[in-house]
Amino acid sequence: MQSLSLRQTSTSKGLNYLTIMAPRNLWHMRSNFLFGSRCWMTRFSAEIIFKSVSFRLFGVKCHNADSEPSENEDLLNNLLTMGVDVDMARKRQPGVFHRMITNEQDLKTFLLSKGASKEVIASIISRYPRAITRTPENLSKRWDLWRNIVTSDLEIVNILERSPESFFRSNNNLNLENNIKFLYSVGLTRKCLCRLLTNAPRTFSNSLDLNKQMVDFLQATCLSLGHNDPTDFVRKIIFKNPFILIQSTKRVKANIEFLQSTFNLNSEELLVLICGPGAEILDLSNDYARRSYTNIKKKLFSLECTEEEVQKFVLSYPDVIFLAEKKFNDKIDCLLEENVSISQIIENPRVLDSSISTLKSRIRELVNAGCNLSTLNISLLSWSKKRYEAKLKKLSRLA
């Protein structure tokens, strides 16, 4: 008797097709795929199933009960009762709804005991549903660790309300504890760690080795630039740029080299820049930073600016490198169209912080108040709303 061998091929998980090599008369199947670990053999006349062919490939669709697992109905009802936006939660982390064991009631009880309102708890779960998978013991330990940094339960609740991922993203409390100890050991203050926890919580999910690599790199950079206080250097950079510990040392090194070579900075000038206004540039993709600076030069050269003016412009406000090419060009064009000179922009680069609509509306208000833009200090175009409006009233009275 001839036999037929059945083998599973690499196919789309959703379709679950098998490819069968079928000889002519009889077939013989062995499949762990269909019936778990059991093997089975069946013999039939091939004429009942196949046309008389030597060999052929054909697909058999197998219904896999695990391909579309059902959602936990009790969990859904509990979340709806708690006021959770189930549609939002399902879009963000759908896998949570297929779990048979969850801790939503324990989470609710725990957060209520820390001063969170029912509305805040519902919002936290809606935006980060994986929070309900954490055990009470894990929550309690993690909370205690956070209190080594944050001064009150209410402050932690406020952070969770803004960014639930910061607390619930990881359940590795030992890694968190080790990172807190390490960051304190390298001279970071409680205030600095709180800033990291609020703005760059992934720092504490990093492996301890990754954080050590970045700190070691920053300390080595400090010493290579002639600064004799690496602890102070690291503290200043991290405070200015809390995201630096979640970047790669390769990226930070490339950006430091870019700044030094592009602006012909000596060691002292480079230290001042990367510990101050240029600290955030260290986050950028090096390719993006180079492209952005190339565009800034091209635009300002077209307006007859010198190389010296371009460098002064960027060094006085390094954040301009973050602006996308089109946005930078459009803002420059907007100001020029409103009779603001390029020399005024060079002297006051922070005006590019404001949106185009804000620039236009404020310029219109200033003109209506009788101001001469050609002699006006245009820095007020980027002031806060309250400060700007107070100045506008004063200018209107003087007109």
Side-chain angles (χ1 to χ4, degrees):
M1 261 184 198
Q2 293 181 340
S3 65
L4 172 150
S5 64
L6 173 69
R7 60 189 175 88
Q8 185 178 352
T9 59
S10 177
T11 59
S12 171
K13 187 176 180 181
L15 294 178
N16 294 326
Y17 280 100
L18 301 179
T19 299
I20 297 177
M21 297 294 294
R24 187 167 172 174
N25 292 315
L26 300 175
W27 63 305
H28 160 211
M29 290 188 177
R30 171 186 172 92
S31 173
N32 291 331
F33 176 72
L34 293 173
F35 296 102
S37 62
R38 295 183 181 181
C39 299
W40 59 282
M41 181 183 295
T42 311
R43 297 174 183 270
F44 292 102
S45 169
E47 293 178 0
I48 299 174
I49 303 173
F50 310 118
K51 290 183 178 180
S52 181
V53 291
S54 296
F55 280 92
R56 75 171 3 168
L57 293 173
F58 68 95
V60 178
K61 186 171 184 180
C62 304
H63 297 284
N64 188 341
D66 295 329
S67 61
E68 293 182 3
S70 58
E71 292 185 335
N72 185 335
E73 292 295 332
D74 290 338
L75 170 60
L76 283 172
N77 291 333
N78 284 343
L79 295 182
L80 288 169
T81 301
M82 292 169 67
V84 172
D85 186 334
V86 171
D87 289 336
M88 178 190 292
R90 188 182 282 118
K91 288 177 182 177
R92 291 181 178 233
Q93 292 167 350
V96 171
F97 291 88
H98 303 305
R99 288 176 177 256
M100 292 298 103
I101 300 176
T102 52
N103 303 305
E104 63 276 5
Q105 295 297 344
D106 289 332
L107 175 65
K108 177 182 176 181
T109 301
F110 180 82
L111 291 178
L112 284 172
S113 73
K114 300 300 183 182
S117 67
K118 293 180 180 179
E119 291 75 19
V120 167
I121 295 170
S123 174
I124 288 172
I125 298 174
S126 299
R127 289 178 292 138
Y128 201 79
R130 201 173 294 151
I132 66 175
T133 66
R134 306 300 183 232
T135 64
E137 295 78 13
N138 183 278
L139 290 173
S140 181
K141 174 64 174 176
R142 198 165 191 81
W143 198 276
D144 290 343
L145 290 171
W146 272 47
R147 282 300 306 270
N148 290 328
I149 301 172
V150 183
T151 56
S152 70
D153 288 343
L154 184 57
E155 192 175 350
I156 297 179
V157 170
N158 290 335
I159 294 173
L160 266 60
E161 186 177 4
R162 294 193 304 272
S163 174
E165 181 183 4
S166 62
F167 186 87
F168 296 105
R169 184 174 186 267
S170 170
N171 63 354
N172 189 337
N173 288 332
L174 179 59
N175 187 63
L176 171 62
E177 184 175 10
N178 288 336
N179 273 319
I180 290 173
K181 289 178 180 178
F182 169 69
L183 294 172
Y184 272 134
S185 75
V186 296
L188 298 189
T189 63
R190 188 170 187 164
K191 181 179 180 181
C192 191
L193 262 67
C194 190
R195 180 171 164 80
L196 284 174
L197 203 57
T198 305
N199 296 292
R202 277 184 53 200
T203 299
F204 298 92
S205 300
N206 275 354
S207 70
L208 181 61
D209 285 343
L210 276 178
N211 284 335
K212 283 183 175 180
Q213 285 174 23
M214 180 57 78
V215 169
D216 289 346
F217 167 75
L218 292 175
Q219 290 178 337
T221 299
C222 167
L223 294 173
S224 71
L225 294 175
H227 191 52
N228 58 5
D229 191 348
T231 298
D232 179 64
F233 176 78
V234 169
R235 184 169 55 244
K236 284 180 178 178
I237 286 190
I238 293 177
F239 191 78
K240 283 286 185 179
N241 181 0
F243 301 98
I244 195 165
L245 288 172
I246 59 177
Q247 306 301 329
S248 69
T249 55
K250 181 179 178 181
R251 170 176 288 193
V252 175
K253 183 175 185 290
N255 283 326
I256 289 175
E257 291 172 350
F258 159 72
L259 291 172
Q260 186 167 30
S261 62
T262 301
F263 299 102
N264 299 314
L265 302 175
N266 60 37
S267 295
E268 184 178 353
E269 291 168 335
L270 182 60
L271 277 168
V272 171
L273 181 62
I274 62 179
C275 284
E280 293 184 355
I281 292 178
L282 303 181
D283 275 354
L284 283 175
S285 154
N286 187 248
D287 287 342
Y288 181 89
R290 290 179 182 279
R291 288 198 308 270
S292 180
Y293 182 66
T294 297
N295 175 66
I296 291 169
K297 283 207 306 184
K298 180 180 178 182
K299 182 66 176 177
L300 296 184
F301 281 171
S302 73
L303 297 170
E304 299 182 352
C305 293
T306 64
E307 179 81 32
E308 183 180 354
E309 287 173 323
V310 172
Q311 292 202 357
K312 176 185 175 183
F313 173 73
V314 175
L315 289 175
S316 63
Y317 189 52
D319 281 2
V320 71
I321 291 179
F322 283 88
L323 287 177
E325 178 178 341
K326 185 176 187 307
K327 186 168 287 188
F328 174 79
N329 293 344
D330 287 349
K331 287 185 177 185
I332 294 290
D333 291 340
C334 167
L335 290 167
L336 295 176
E337 289 167 3
E338 298 293 342
N339 297 318
V340 175
S341 69
I342 189 60
S343 60
Q344 287 175 289
I345 300 172
I346 295 293
E347 292 296 325
N348 300 278
R350 288 182 180 273
V351 295
L352 300 178
D353 273 349
S354 299
S355 66
I356 289 177
S357 60
T358 298
L359 291 173
K360 287 184 174 181
S361 63
R362 289 189 174 185
I363 288 172
R364 187 163 52 250
E365 289 168 345
L366 291 168
V367 170
N368 291 339
C371 298
N372 182 352
L373 290 180
S374 63
T375 59
L376 184 71
N377 179 359
I378 63 168
S379 63
L380 80 171
L381 294 175
S382 61
W383 288 359
S384 67
K385 182 178 180 181
K386 182 178 180 180
R387 186 183 178 194
Y388 165 75
E389 289 178 346
K391 181 67 173 179
L392 182 63
K393 286 181 181 179
K394 184 177 180 180
L395 291 171
S396 298
R397 287 196 299 268
L398 294 174

